[in-house]
């Protein structure tokens, strides 16, 4: 075998085994050779391409992109480069064709996502700006109409009062639309930070019912309440969950002319289920998939009476999902509706971690420090043998009361279980951690001494601080996990 033949064979092997498409053309653009990768890329057999003019102009010195027709009118995007070579004793060009279809799809998807985010940002800014600009004149108009209606600017006829009252109703409705748009805008832009705390959800339900009891009574509807007898604590944003109850109850009242409104809470193993039912107009089966979409109103009747904005249920769904919960609807036309939502119940350890996660999120968002403490009973296994559960629970309640008495701000959070108390102090500089720990430990030990328990029970403490000990919830939790494991 001559050296030249060996060189040609090596070149042919390189071309055949290459994963990219390679096509050899002569100076006029006639195809001399096609490797398997190129034939597959062009969706043709090798013999169908060889001996025919190449379908694209030669690229010259620069790399170019080409669109290659495929099956079902789809196109592949490839990058093509040209290199002069010697082929079978003559001058030719090797065209290297690299399929970049997936890369292009990724780039297009990223570009589309960036554009979507840009449009959403503009939309949210527009909604926010317009809403704020509308608030001031609306407030002035409402105040002016109210003063005329009350007779402060002279007497008004009954007919005038009726029209002025209609104007007030429309102003209030517009205000609700603005509030709804602002809520939707804040939720979509991630600007809503939930202010969670451990609360009895039955108290929240009763608060919502109380605010709407006059409306229920005026409509002549029966109210049916079904709550668990035991305390049903859950970690939620108080105002937002009350808003959910008020929205669901308000809709039930609005679309129910006779019968009853029901609200129930079921305390299950790992979650709490809340239901609002009615005997009203119901929702057609075809409309159920769009119930939680914006600006959807299925039970509206034209004429006088209360009108909705079509934003309430969309906001309700967003609030429940922000709490990692789920909401669903069951309804039949003219037979009433049932809206149910579930919220996850945290174990004490899960709750400890969630407090840290939420506290850290707000600290990072506001660029502020965060201090975390855990006070716990040491050698807890021995203590459980020496004291009954009732005595230990009494001690923990007293510890919780002592620590709570040292909290000076509403934002300070404390939560307890059977052996430990977690304390989260926002906007507390990390250099104060040791002194706060000493002060609270001393207060707990003084109580134990007073009760004659200081020789039997010892108080331990673990601390963590942002940014001192890390910037992740996992990192901070690792600093205290020995005390809560």
């Amino acid at each position: 075998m001559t050296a030249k033949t060996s060189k040609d064979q090596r070149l042919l092997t390189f071309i055949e085994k290459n994963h990219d498409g390679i096509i050899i053309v002569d100076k006029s653009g006639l195809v001399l050779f096609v490797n398997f990768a190129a034939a597959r890329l062009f969706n043709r057999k090798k013999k169908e391409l060889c001996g025919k003019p190449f379908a694209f102009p030669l690229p010259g010195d620069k790399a170019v992109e080409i669109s290659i027709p495929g099956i079902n009118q789809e196109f592949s995007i490839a990058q093509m480069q040209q290199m002069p070579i010697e082929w079978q004793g003559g001058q030719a060009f090797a065209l290297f064709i690299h399929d970049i279809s997936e890369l292009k799809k990724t780039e297009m998807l990223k570009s589309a996502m960036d554009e979507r985010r840009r449009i959403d940002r503009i939309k949210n800014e527009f909604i926010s700006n317009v809403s704020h600009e509308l608030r001031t004149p609306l407030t002035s108009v409402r105040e002016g109409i109210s003063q005329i209606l009350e007779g402060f600017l002279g007497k008004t006829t009954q007919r005038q009062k009726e029209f002025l009252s209609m104007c007030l109703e429309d102003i209030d409705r517009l205000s609700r639309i603005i509030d709804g748009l602002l809520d939707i805008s804040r939720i979509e832009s991630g600007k809503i930070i939930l202010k969670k705390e451990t609360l009895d959800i039955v108290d929240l339900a009763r608060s919502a019912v109380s605010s709407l009891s006059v409306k229920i009574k005026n409509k002549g509807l029966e109210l049916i309440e079904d709550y668990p007898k035991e305390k049903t604590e859950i970690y939620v944003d108080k105002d937002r969950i009350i808003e959910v109850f008020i929205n669901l109850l308000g809709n039930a009242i609005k679309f129910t002319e006779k019968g009853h409104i029901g609200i129930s809470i079921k305390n299950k193993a790992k979650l709490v289920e809340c239901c609002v039912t009615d005997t009203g107009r119901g929702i057609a089966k075809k409309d159920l998939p769009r119930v939680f979409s914006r600006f959807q109103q299925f039970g509206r009747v034209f004429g006088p009476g209360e009108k909705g904005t079509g934003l309430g249920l969309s906001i309700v769904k967003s609030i429940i999902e922000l709490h990692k919960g789920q909401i669903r609807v069951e309804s039949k036309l003219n037979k009433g509706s049932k809206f149910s939502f579930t919220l996850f119940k945290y174990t004490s350890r899960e709750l400890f971690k969630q407090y840290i996660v939420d506290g850290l999120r707000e600290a990072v968002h506001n660029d502020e420090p965060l201090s975390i403490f855990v006070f716990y009973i040491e050698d807890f296994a021995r203590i459980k043998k020496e004291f009954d559960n009732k005595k230990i629970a009494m001690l923990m309640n007293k510890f919780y009361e002592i620590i709570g008495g040292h909290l000076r701000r509403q934002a300070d959070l404390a939560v307890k279980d059977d052996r430990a108390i977690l304390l989260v102090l926002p906007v507390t500089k990390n250099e104060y951690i040791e002194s706060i720990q000493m002060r609270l430990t001393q207060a707990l030990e003084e109580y134990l001494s007073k009760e004659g328990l200081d020789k039997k029970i010892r108080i331990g403490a673990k601390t963590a601080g942002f940014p001192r000990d890390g910037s992740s919830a996992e990192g901070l939790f690792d600093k205290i996990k020995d005390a809560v494991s």
Side-chain angles (χ1 to χ4, degrees):
M1 180 183 291
T2 65
K4 186 173 182 180
T5 305
S6 177
K7 181 180 177 183
D8 288 345
Q9 187 60 44
R10 287 197 303 271
L11 177 59
L12 183 61
T13 301
F14 167 77
I15 293 173
E16 280 287 20
K17 293 186 176 181
N18 204 292
H19 293 296
D20 284 336
I22 299 178
I23 296 178
I24 309 300
V25 299
D26 64 16
K27 291 182 178 180
S28 65
L30 192 69
V31 176
L32 304 176
F33 183 83
V34 177
N35 73 350
F36 286 109
R40 185 170 59 249
L41 185 60
F42 280 86
N43 197 35
R44 294 286 188 276
K45 293 180 180 179
K46 294 171 69 173
K47 63 182 181 181
E48 293 177 344
L49 296 171
C50 290
K52 297 178 181 177
F54 185 54
F56 298 93
L58 300 185
D61 296 333
K62 295 182 179 180
V64 297
E65 289 183 9
I66 57 174
S67 296
I68 303 170
I71 302 172
N72 298 327
Q73 297 182 336
E74 291 185 0
F75 283 80
S76 297
I77 307 298
Q79 187 179 70
M80 182 170 66
Q81 291 180 287
Q82 170 183 319
M83 184 179 77
I85 62 168
E86 184 179 324
W87 183 261
Q88 295 179 350
Q91 292 299 312
F93 295 104
L95 303 177
F96 296 88
I97 305 171
H98 176 59
D99 189 352
I100 58 172
S101 300
E102 292 303 318
L103 177 63
K104 280 295 179 181
K105 286 178 183 178
T106 302
E107 288 177 352
M108 290 172 65
L109 181 60
K110 182 179 181 300
S111 177
M113 290 174 65
D114 289 343
E115 179 65 11
R116 176 68 181 271
R117 280 193 288 266
R118 186 186 72 83
I119 292 171
D120 283 345
R121 186 175 65 252
I122 293 172
K123 178 200 67 178
N124 289 331
E125 288 175 356
F126 173 77
I127 290 173
S128 181
N129 291 336
V130 169
S131 299
H132 283 298
E133 289 298 323
L134 284 173
R135 280 181 180 276
T136 301
L138 267 182
T139 302
S140 299
V141 171
R142 195 188 194 290
E143 182 62 25
I145 292 175
S146 295
Q147 289 191 19
I148 295 172
L149 193 58
E150 294 295 329
F152 293 129
L153 303 177
K155 291 184 178 181
T156 53
T157 66
Q158 185 60 35
R159 184 68 172 157
Q160 289 171 332
K161 287 180 180 180
E162 290 174 3
F163 274 95
L164 290 171
S165 296
M166 289 169 58
C167 290
L168 283 183
E169 287 179 6
D170 283 341
I171 289 172
D172 288 341
R173 180 170 174 270
L174 186 54
S175 294
R176 291 195 298 273
I177 292 174
I178 291 171
D179 291 339
L181 287 171
L182 281 173
D183 268 348
I184 290 289
S185 178
R186 292 191 193 105
I187 289 168
E188 288 187 346
S189 60
K191 290 182 179 178
I192 282 187
I193 296 178
L194 299 177
K195 306 289 186 182
K196 292 183 182 178
E197 53 186 316
T198 304
L199 300 159
D200 186 348
I201 195 165
V202 174
D203 290 341
L204 306 187
R206 284 180 171 145
S207 177
V209 168
S210 176
S211 68
L212 294 170
S213 58
V214 174
K215 283 189 175 182
I216 296 172
K217 185 178 179 180
N218 288 343
K219 262 202 156 182
L221 300 172
E222 180 188 2
L223 175 65
I224 301 174
E225 297 177 88
D226 182 15
Y227 305 128
K229 293 179 180 179
E230 72 275 11
K231 199 171 185 180
T232 309
E233 288 191 331
I234 197 159
Y235 185 54
V236 294
D237 184 314
K238 176 182 178 180
D239 293 336
R240 292 294 176 180
I241 295 302
I242 289 177
E243 182 182 351
V244 167
F245 279 123
I246 287 176
N247 252 309
L248 295 179
L249 286 167
N251 274 353
I253 296 166
K254 189 187 306 177
F255 299 120
T256 304
E257 300 305 323
K258 61 180 180 179
H260 70 263
I261 303 294
I263 180 168
S264 66
I265 294 174
K266 293 180 181 178
N267 193 358
K268 299 186 176 181
K270 293 185 178 181
L271 51 83
V272 171
E273 182 182 58
C274 306
C275 300
V276 173
T277 59
D278 64 64
T279 54
R281 299 172 197 165
I283 303 165
K285 186 177 180 179
K286 64 182 178 65
D287 293 326
L288 286 175
R290 296 182 289 121
V291 162
F292 297 106
S293 301
R294 290 180 232 167
F295 302 107
Q296 297 294 327
Q297 293 177 287
F298 306 112
R300 180 165 180 169
V301 176
F302 291 97
E306 189 176 359
K307 302 295 188 295
T309 63
L311 291 170
L313 290 177
S314 177
I315 293 170
V316 161
K317 184 174 186 287
S318 296
I319 291 173
I320 295 302
E321 289 178 347
L322 281 173
H323 282 83
K324 311 300 182 187
Q326 294 182 329
I327 187 167
R328 65 183 185 277
V329 59
E330 301 169 41
S331 186
K332 289 185 178 179
L333 203 58
N334 300 317
K335 291 188 178 180
S337 301
K338 177 182 178 181
F339 285 85
S340 307
F341 65 89
T342 54
L343 295 169
F344 180 68
K345 283 167 59 178
Y346 294 100
T347 64
S348 56
R349 291 301 178 264
E350 290 168 339
L351 190 55
F352 279 11
K353 194 163 188 177
Q354 195 60 42
Y355 264 81
I356 294 172
V357 168
D358 292 342
L360 180 61
R361 184 187 297 118
E362 191 160 355
V364 171
H365 181 266
N366 296 328
D367 193 22
E368 295 170 342
L370 179 73
S371 296
I372 299 164
F373 307 81
V374 177
F375 298 94
Y376 60 97
I377 297 176
E378 293 183 344
D379 196 7
F380 191 64
R382 176 182 60 81
I383 297 299
K384 286 192 74 174
K385 293 178 181 178
E386 295 184 19
F387 295 88
D388 60 30
N389 291 337
K390 187 176 180 181
K391 178 67 174 177
I392 294 173
M394 186 198 74
L395 278 172
M396 290 306 300
N397 287 335
K398 188 60 183 179
F399 293 163
Y400 186 73
E401 181 184 322
I402 291 169
I403 289 175
H406 283 74
L407 302 184
R408 299 184 176 90
R409 303 165 305 180
Q410 190 176 4
D412 297 339
L413 298 172
V415 61
K416 68 178 176 66
D417 67 359
D418 59 349
R419 67 162 291 204
I421 296 172
L422 174 76
L423 183 61
V424 180
L425 302 182
V427 203
T428 301
K429 293 181 179 178
N430 294 170
E431 53 261 38
Y432 299 147
I433 287 178
E434 279 70 26
S435 62
I436 293 172
Q437 175 197 330
M438 289 178 60
R439 186 173 74 249
L440 292 175
T441 301
Q442 184 179 357
L444 296 176
E445 288 176 345
E446 285 176 356
Y447 169 75
L448 290 173
S449 178
K450 181 181 176 182
E451 296 294 317
L453 297 170
D454 53 318
K455 297 292 190 292
K456 296 182 178 180
I457 296 176
R458 302 295 300 170
I459 299 298
K462 294 280 185 179
T463 64
F466 165 77
R468 186 188 73 176
D469 297 315
S471 57
S472 72
E474 290 292 340
L476 297 180
F477 195 75
D478 281 346
K479 295 284 290 183
I480 63 168
K481 66 180 180 181
D482 291 343
V484 294
S485 58

